[in-house]
Amino acid sequence: MSWQGKILRVDLTSGKITVEDLNMDWARQYVGERGLASKYLLEEMDPKADPLGADNVLIFATGPLTGTMASTSGRYCVVTKGPLTGAIACSNSGGKFGADLKYAGYDMVIITGKSDRPVYLLIEDDEVALMPADDLWGSTVWETESWLKQRHNNQMLKVASIGLAGENLVRYACIVNDLHRAAGRSGVGAVMGSKNLKAIAAFGSKGVKVSDPARFMRVVSDSHETMQGHRSRKQFTKLGTHPMLDMMNNFGGLPTRNFDDTRFDGVDKINAKASHTENANGHTNFITNKACFGCTIACGRIAHIDEKHFSIINRKEYWHASGGLEYETAYAFGPLCGIDDIDALTFAGFLMNEHGMDPISFGGTLAAAMELFEKGIIGSDDTDGVELKFGNSEALTIMAEKTGKHEGFGKVLGLGSRAMCEKYGHGEIAMQVKGQEFAGYDSRALQGMGLGYATSNRGACHLKHDTFGPDMEDQTGSGKADPCRVSQDFTAMLDSTGLCLFTASAGLKEPVFRELLNAACGHEWSEEELRICGERIWTIERMFNLKAGFTAKDDTLPERLKTVPAPSGTAKGKVSALDEMLPEYYQLRGWSSDGVPLAGTLERLGLADLTVDGK
Amino acid sequence: MQTHLVIDPQKCTGCEQCEMACSFEHYGIFNPARSRIRVFEFEHGRLAIPCACTQCDEAWCMQVCPTGALMRNAVTGAVELTAAKCVGCKVCTIACPYGTISYNPQNGKVDKCDLCGGDPACARICPTGAIQYESANTQGDAQ
């Protein structure tokens, strides 16, 4: 119970659809969602396969708590080999789609092969079919969602789809569900595009049962109460993640103009306060907050753009409300590109959702292009005549649209920062790890974050560990390796339950998650067993990457962060202490100095059969 | 004193905890498709509106029911279904002008809000106070 116990298997090459039983031994070892999907991926594909070829496997997975009354239970993740990185990709999304996939009776959908024509997958409980999508190919995420609901006369249908970016294999294309929630990172949308799979539409009426309802509802009730009273929960509800902009700016860890600085002068024009304040035209950016399925936090922002703003003045189709700015989008379009125009940022955010692109990677790539432009490495001949200078808000909105529609210089931006900068012979300008662009925290100011970026299994990412506490306390490399490791394992476990990481930020602790799982699943994990699940998940992701050809050399940061001191803020004069932290981290993990898990470590985790190329 | 579900869409975030609470209360399962309260969203989530039976004084569902399966509970004021009498004819789902009665293909009966016998689970769980269970004397005053 709580797991549905069924996997939907769809082979796009043959068009064959089958249902099989979930491997329950693996479910207990890998919990669900991220962990279980990673296990299936490792078992079913060659990690060396071309991420955009027919041999890549694409998995949509829910967790045991998805669809239950535990707060934030709307989540699912997409696990595949990422085209931006060549590493394992694990992109998590909220909204409502995940819950409906589970209500239809499936813990996971495993998609293999490649269709020879555009198709979408329709799931209505036991009725599952691949449908022709020739007429949907070329449409945006928003059009696709609306047309599928109309075509099937079911407003309850939940849709996860790709836009033009995914169709055109933009390396950081995402999969968008429920209009503005996304499995955002590492280019999982391009994998869908490469398979000619436009969308998955799901409606489920089977529901989810838990093993011990009375026990489950007791912990649901207690955890709702804990979260209701928690300070961070109240802040998330009121302002979302937007206030992090001021926090990082004041701290001096806000990457600005492609990591040229760690503070940004224009923050006051794009922060949470600005979004809640009337502008000269009497327009206020923020409208209301919005919850994903089952979520008692509701950190989502609904916003609209000033109708008089240059970006939409003659485009009424954008005069409506939609998903507004959260921290990472505001950072990546704002400080990182030196732009302080909140309407331009919001419009570019709309375009990301409409065309299906990751705002962090798009912002990181645009910032790198701006540096190339300012240094004279590329000129307006390359950029379709657009002055690609830091601070040019028009350049942001034009390039967001060009990249989404795969036109002109947008095709180059669609490669991601690493491939784009290498194309022009200046790989050092790309600020990325394993090909994936950074979130809004500078590794020179937040040392543990730097270690997390360098060792994250999907490339630079802020969501796979949590070292904020130690990072705020001191800015040396000392004492960061262990919290990084411990939080990576904990996050791997929490991601695998089907809940949102923000539950942990909003006051819930390990015993609560364990009690929810145990009451729901009818399996009693001890604290140590669940910790081991997290470590096991982290380790198999690592093993996937090692088998794909990654080595310790890839656990690194750009030279700029290791050699050029932060110019301002609390970390002024500091560089990343990665070289000091990394050996300690490997040792704590029980890995060799080359970053390979030792035989004893694998055995302890029940992974003795895993080796890298026979070594 | 009559009590009603009073709904304030301005406070609704669209989380659907109410839908899960409703299906759990009546069927012991988390299943929005079997919920008697439904949240509808408009304009990319700008507005989310929970819709539930208003327990009409002149209840057309009750008037058209050919088997007398729908009866008024004098204490709560709710029009309740006696499942044993329901033959699944669905006429009440047509009569209801608000679409708050739905047919349940899993048991061949209709699903209708019964105010949980006077302690509605949806109002109990709502994290924002968008659904309240209040005296009918003040219904609409706030609007």
Side-chain angles (χ1 to χ4, degrees):
Chain A
M1 270 206 220
S2 207
W3 293 289
Q4 299 290 45
K6 297 284 176 199
I7 291 177
L8 184 62
R9 204 176 267 284
V10 179
D11 182 53
L12 293 169
T13 307
S14 63
K16 200 174 152 202
I17 296 170
T18 48
V19 177
E20 67 180 42
D21 289 340
L22 181 69
N23 183 324
M24 292 311 293
D25 289 334
W26 291 357
R28 286 182 280 268
Q29 288 162 23
Y30 296 90
V31 187
E33 215 197 73
R34 171 178 166 187
L36 200 48
S38 299
K39 171 66 177 168
Y40 272 91
L41 191 79
L42 189 60
E43 291 288 330
E44 304 208 357
M45 77 173 276
D46 175 4
K48 288 194 165 64
D50 174 4
L52 296 175
D55 292 336
N56 196 1
V57 173
L58 178 67
I59 304 179
F60 287 70
T62 64
L65 298 180
T66 303
T68 70
M69 262 175 88
S71 183
T72 75
S73 71
R75 300 199 82 85
Y76 74 99
C77 74
V78 179
V79 173
T80 185
K81 181 172 176 176
L84 184 66
T85 56
I88 190 167
C90 166
S91 297
N92 191 303
S93 180
K96 300 173 191 289
F97 173 80
D100 262 81
L101 182 58
K102 182 135 175 215
Y103 290 146
Y106 312 101
D107 295 299
M108 260 189 232
V109 185
I110 299 179
I111 296 160
T112 54
K114 176 180 175 171
S115 172
D116 55 10
R117 62 189 287 198
V119 288
Y120 65 94
L121 180 65
L122 179 67
I123 303 172
E124 290 177 306
D125 291 338
D126 297 334
E127 289 171 33
V128 182
L130 281 168
M131 313 284 282
D134 305 82
D135 53 348
L136 287 174
W137 206 253
S139 59
T140 68
V141 164
W142 293 349
E143 287 163 348
T144 302
E145 210 166 310
S146 149
W147 290 353
L148 285 175
K149 286 179 184 189
Q150 280 174 37
R151 183 174 298 177
H152 296 286
N153 193 25
N154 185 354
Q155 289 301 315
M156 311 296 271
L157 205 58
K158 310 300 189 296
V159 179
S161 67
I162 55 168
L164 290 111
E167 291 179 13
N168 288 302
L169 312 182
V170 166
R171 297 304 190 271
Y172 43 84
C174 56
I175 298 169
V176 181
N177 56 283
D178 304 287
L179 301 172
H180 40 67
R181 296 287 125 198
R185 303 221 68 193
S186 314
V188 295
V191 176
M192 223 164 133
S194 74
K195 293 185 177 303
N196 276 325
L197 179 63
K198 179 69 179 173
I200 301 181
F203 169 71
S205 70
K206 294 186 178 181
V208 171
K209 272 194 169 145
V210 290
S211 177
D212 185 339
R215 180 180 169 194
F216 187 77
M217 290 307 277
R218 268 197 305 278
V219 59
V220 162
S221 177
D222 290 350
S223 59
H224 279 23
E225 203 177 309
T226 304
M227 288 170 71
Q228 278 306 97
H230 198 271
R231 207 180 123 258
S232 299
R233 197 283 304 161
K234 290 177 188 167
Q235 167 133 324
F236 278 138
T237 303
K238 194 172 166 211
L239 301 169
T241 56
H242 210 155
M244 192 60 93
L245 206 51
D246 291 311
M247 209 192 286
M248 275 302 115
N249 193 47
N250 295 336
F251 190 67
L254 181 63
T256 298
R257 290 181 293 275
N258 203 31
F259 291 77
D260 180 51
D261 206 339
T262 48
R263 303 189 70 171
F264 180 54
D265 286 343
V267 151
D268 288 349
K269 294 184 184 164
I270 57 170
N271 61 9
K273 194 177 170 197
S275 81
H276 285 258
T277 307
E278 251 185 37
N279 69 9
N281 297 329
H283 173 91
T284 306
N285 182 273
F286 175 84
I287 299 174
T288 187
N289 67 323
K290 176 82 184 74
C292 293
F293 182 83
C295 177
T296 58
I297 304 171
C299 75
R301 308 287 93 185
I302 299 295
H304 57 169
I305 305 155
D306 184 350
E307 290 163 16
K308 296 192 178 69
H309 188 258
F310 73 83
S311 59
I312 64 159
I313 191 159
N314 292 316
R315 303 179 74 176
K316 276 196 177 178
E317 66 271 29
Y318 293 106
W319 288 12
H320 61 79
S322 192
L325 294 174
E326 42 79 51
Y327 173 59
E328 296 300 341
T329 307
Y331 135 78
F333 299 165
L336 197 61
C337 295
I339 295 167
D340 62 4
D341 175 344
I342 196 167
D343 286 302
L345 267 50
T346 307
F347 179 54
F350 278 24
L351 293 171
M352 294 295 125
N353 292 327
E354 188 184 20
H355 298 304
M357 287 184 285
D358 170 18
I360 302 181
S361 281
F362 172 75
T365 306
L366 183 65
M370 286 175 161
E371 185 171 333
L372 289 170
F373 190 93
E374 296 218 343
K375 289 190 164 153
I377 299 160
I378 58 173
S380 49
D381 290 352
D382 301 292
T383 61
D384 313 328
V386 177
E387 285 282 296
L388 222 54
K389 288 189 169 165
F390 287 117
N392 182 352
S393 57
E394 212 167 344
L396 166 70
T397 58
I398 291 170
M399 287 303 164
E401 194 145 18
K402 278 178 180 280
T403 308
K405 293 180 173 171
H406 210 61
E407 295 167 356
F409 188 66
K411 289 181 186 170
V412 180
L413 289 169
L415 297 170
S417 64
R418 183 174 63 184
M420 176 188 72
C421 290
E422 282 172 357
K423 174 181 154 76
Y424 296 112
H426 285 273
E428 80 286 354
I429 286 176
M431 300 304 287
Q432 47 77 28
V433 176
K434 298 182 177 74
Q436 181 157 284
E437 292 73 14
F438 289 105
Y441 312 92
D442 196 301
S443 313
R444 295 168 290 195
L446 295 102
Q447 294 289 347
M449 180 63 82
L451 179 63
Y453 284 144
T455 57
S456 158
N457 291 316
R458 69 169 185 178
C461 172
H462 61 299
L463 293 171
K464 306 293 185 200
H465 75 292
D466 178 1
T467 52
F468 276 104
D471 279 349
M472 291 298 193
E473 267 170 36
D474 86 356
Q475 291 174 307
T476 70
S478 152
K480 303 299 187 296
D482 205 42
C484 181
R485 173 188 69 91
V486 169
S487 62
Q488 283 174 336
D489 293 348
F490 177 73
T491 303
M493 181 281 291
L494 183 48
D495 269 344
S496 302
T497 62
L499 300 186
C500 174
L501 293 183
F502 284 4
T503 51
S505 314
L508 301 192
K509 304 253 186 290
E510 193 275 343
V512 178
F513 299 117
R514 182 153 38 92
E515 181 65 8
L516 283 167
L517 282 172
N518 289 350
C521 298
H523 173 74
E524 295 293 321
W525 282 280
S526 68
E527 183 179 357
E528 177 61 6
E529 283 166 345
L530 213 49
R531 190 195 66 72
I532 289 282
C533 284
E535 187 180 356
R536 186 182 293 127
I537 294 161
W538 189 268
T539 307
I540 62 161
E541 290 175 344
R542 175 76 177 182
M543 293 304 284
F544 183 98
N545 286 350
L546 294 174
K547 283 169 184 281
F550 284 86
T551 67
K553 286 197 188 75
D554 301 297
D555 297 338
T556 190
L557 294 170
E559 280 305 302
R560 184 172 298 179
L561 301 178
K562 294 202 287 186
T563 57
V564 182
S568 61
T570 53
K572 187 174 178 177
K574 290 196 173 65
V575 294
S576 168
L578 181 67
D579 295 341
E580 169 197 334
M581 297 181 283
L582 196 58
E584 185 190 354
Y585 170 87
Y586 283 168
Q587 196 183 14
L588 287 165
R589 277 234 169 263
W591 295 357
S592 73
S593 55
D594 295 328
V596 179
L598 298 168
T601 304
L602 291 174
E603 201 175 333
R604 180 171 58 78
L605 298 171
L607 301 172
D609 55 330
L610 280 183
T611 52
V612 183
D613 294 338
K615 273 183 270 185
Chain B
M1 184 183 70
Q2 254 192 321
T3 31
H4 285 185
L5 284 176
V6 179
I7 289 167
D8 181 358
Q10 296 298 331
K11 288 184 181 162
C12 178
T13 61
C15 77
E16 299 183 48
Q17 280 272 338
C18 56
E19 298 186 5
M20 286 189 281
C22 178
S23 62
F24 183 79
E25 181 79 19
H26 295 99
Y27 294 110
I29 187 167
F30 304 118
N31 188 0
R34 289 274 63 80
S35 172
R36 295 150 192 205
I37 185 165
R38 296 279 172 93
V39 182
F40 294 92
E41 288 186 11
F42 302 91
E43 204 190 332
H44 287 217
R46 180 183 194 144
L47 201 58
I49 305 180
C51 295
C53 174
T54 61
Q55 316 295 347
C56 303
D57 281 355
E58 188 184 318
W60 294 354
C61 58
M62 188 165 75
Q63 291 178 3
V64 299
C65 178
T67 66
L70 289 167
M71 299 282 282
R72 177 87 58 191
N73 177 321
V75 180
T76 63
V79 174
E80 295 177 351
L81 180 81
T82 306
K85 288 189 186 172
C86 176
V87 295
C89 74
K90 312 175 196 69
V91 173
C92 56
T93 69
I94 300 165
C96 174
Y98 305 111
T100 57
I101 307 183
S102 60
Y103 176 68
N104 179 351
Q106 282 156 6
N107 64 8
K109 317 271 181 195
V110 293
D111 284 330
K112 183 188 173 308
C113 174
D114 58 3
L115 295 174
C116 299
D119 181 18
C122 54
R124 233 184 303 140
I125 201 71
C126 180
T128 65
I131 307 167
Q132 306 266 0
Y133 191 52
E134 286 177 352
S135 163
N137 294 333
T138 55
Q139 171 85 55
D141 286 3
Q143 315 255 335

